[in-house]
Amino acid sequence: MIAQLFKVHETPGYSFNTRHDIVSYFYNQWHYHPEIELVHIVRGTGSRFIGDSVDSFKEDDLILIGANLPHLFRNDDVYYMNMPGVQAESFTIHFLPEIFGQAFLNIPENKPIQTLLEKAAYGISIQGETKVKVKKLMQDVHFASKSERIILLMQLLSTIAYAEDNVTIAQFNASDTIHKSDESRLNKVYQYTLNNYAREITLAEVAAIVYMVPHSFCRYFKQRTNKRYSQFILEVRVSMACKMLAETDNSIAVVCWESGFKNFSNFNRHFKAIAGKSPLEYRKSYKGMNK
């Protein structure tokens, strides 16, 4: 993926950075950085792009993002309206992969952590009891000092490494296809798609925003994302439909229309192909998990 190189703020006197942010909305540009990122969404909802994955994010999500893996967290529209009490909050840890040294990671006891950092190149969603433990450790790291920070970071990574319920996010390592000279194009495409997914978007229209003809745009997008633009926008629409099914009581017909599908049978077919279940099954399973 093509993305903006993001400069992570360094904390003087420390080998890695921790942050606690309370903001109107999260940084919403398609970007990457050499640091591995562990982020806990304390408050906030929106759309999440990690590598070639399109999904939604919500309160209490915990994500590990590998070095140079392009990503974007775009809050829902309400966060851009400056409404009282509507804020996004997160705890984040950034650290370079080489912080521990390769020799240290190569010792047998640390093999699981080395494997975890390799798997992070695809993004990892941390679940269940592991998430509860890691959230606590993240706050401990944030308020720790001196060598205790490193000890807690190792404990945190070890906890994730031994978990059996981690979920890999992306299907391919998008960091292999970064081209800094073309850093703004995909960001424009992503932002335009998020702003217009509820209506028909033609190839000519989306190609024009990056000054391409449709044929060249199709080839470009496939090379950079490993998928066609038509598949990408389907995934965006299904992701938005999932959010509506989970967070509203709107009828499935209304969700179909508002997520950009104008044909009910197509909506059901594409939703099941991407989400793995029908819209009705998805809503029932979500409501069942949250009783």
Side-chain angles (χ1 to χ4, degrees):
M1 291 259 180
I2 301 162
Q4 296 179 357
L5 174 61
F6 182 80
K7 177 63 176 176
V8 173
H9 175 72
E10 296 180 357
T11 305
Y14 291 108
S15 59
F16 66 94
N17 183 54
T18 71
R19 294 173 53 173
H20 177 208
D21 293 317
I22 302 176
V23 293
S24 297
Y25 50 84
F26 297 135
Y27 182 70
N28 63 353
Q29 301 296 305
W30 181 239
H31 69 284
Y32 68 97
H33 38 71
E35 294 85 358
I36 293 172
E37 175 177 320
L38 178 65
V39 57
H40 174 224
I41 308 295
V42 181
R43 287 184 288 169
T45 60
S47 300
R48 182 191 80 191
F49 299 80
I50 298 177
D52 64 336
S53 170
V54 181
D55 208 338
S56 57
F57 72 86
K58 61 186 183 303
E59 178 179 313
D60 208 35
D61 280 357
L62 183 60
I63 305 293
L64 183 66
I65 300 170
N68 295 319
L69 177 60
H71 55 283
L72 178 156
F73 289 80
R74 186 186 188 278
N75 284 101
D76 292 328
D77 291 343
V78 67
Y79 290 85
Y80 296 87
M81 297 177 182
N82 294 319
M83 295 176 63
V86 179
Q87 291 182 305
E89 180 180 2
S90 64
F91 273 96
T92 311
I93 297 175
H94 289 108
F95 62 95
L96 290 167
E98 58 267 26
I99 185 174
F100 303 112
Q102 194 58 47
F104 182 68
L105 287 176
N106 281 340
I107 64 176
E109 291 84 351
N110 287 332
K111 181 63 177 176
I113 293 178
Q114 184 180 37
T115 301
L116 172 69
L117 299 185
E118 293 169 356
K119 289 181 178 178
Y122 300 88
I124 295 172
S125 177
I126 300 159
Q127 310 286 320
E129 289 300 314
T130 305
K131 179 164 66 174
V132 175
K133 296 175 184 177
V134 172
K135 288 190 302 182
K136 173 63 166 59
L137 285 167
M138 287 183 74
Q139 295 198 33
D140 291 344
V141 171
H142 184 68
F143 293 107
S145 60
K146 300 181 179 178
S147 58
E148 184 184 10
R149 283 166 51 92
I150 294 291
I151 294 169
L152 287 168
L153 180 61
M154 285 290 295
Q155 185 179 348
L156 183 157
L157 293 174
S158 179
T159 300
I160 300 172
Y162 281 98
E164 296 181 353
D165 51 0
N166 294 334
V167 177
T168 301
I169 295 172
Q171 295 184 13
F172 82 111
N173 185 351
S175 65
D176 292 339
T177 56
I178 292 172
H179 300 271
K180 186 176 182 299
S181 62
D182 196 21
E183 62 187 20
S184 67
R185 284 182 174 179
L186 273 187
N187 187 62
K188 289 180 180 178
V189 172
Y190 279 22
Q191 298 291 349
Y192 189 83
T193 304
L194 284 169
N195 289 333
N196 295 280
Y197 68 88
R199 64 171 181 81
E200 182 182 0
I201 302 175
T202 67
L203 276 175
E205 177 185 351
V206 72
I209 69 170
V210 288
Y211 307 104
M212 289 183 174
V213 297
H215 178 73
S216 297
F217 172 77
C218 290
R219 185 173 62 250
Y220 159 81
F221 194 85
K222 180 68 182 292
Q223 288 174 342
R224 300 301 190 268
T225 68
N226 203 37
K227 66 179 68 176
R228 294 174 297 173
Y229 180 75
S230 58
Q231 178 64 25
F232 168 72
I233 196 169
L234 281 175
E235 292 175 5
V236 170
R237 286 171 173 157
V238 168
S239 175
M240 295 302 178
C242 287
K243 283 176 59 63
M244 294 180 209
L245 290 167
E247 298 171 7
T248 76
D249 293 321
N250 293 343
S251 70
I252 292 177
V254 169
V255 170
C256 165
W257 182 265
E258 293 189 349
S259 59
F261 292 95
K262 307 311 178 190
N263 181 294
F264 195 71
S265 62
N266 281 343
F267 172 58
N268 278 289
R269 178 166 54 86
H270 290 306
F271 190 99
K272 189 165 187 177
I274 293 171
K277 56 188 70 176
S278 72
L280 182 59
E281 290 170 338
Y282 181 89
R283 172 168 272 172
K284 286 181 176 178
S285 65
Y286 185 89
K287 301 295 185 184
M289 288 187 297
N290 289 276
K291 283 183 178 179

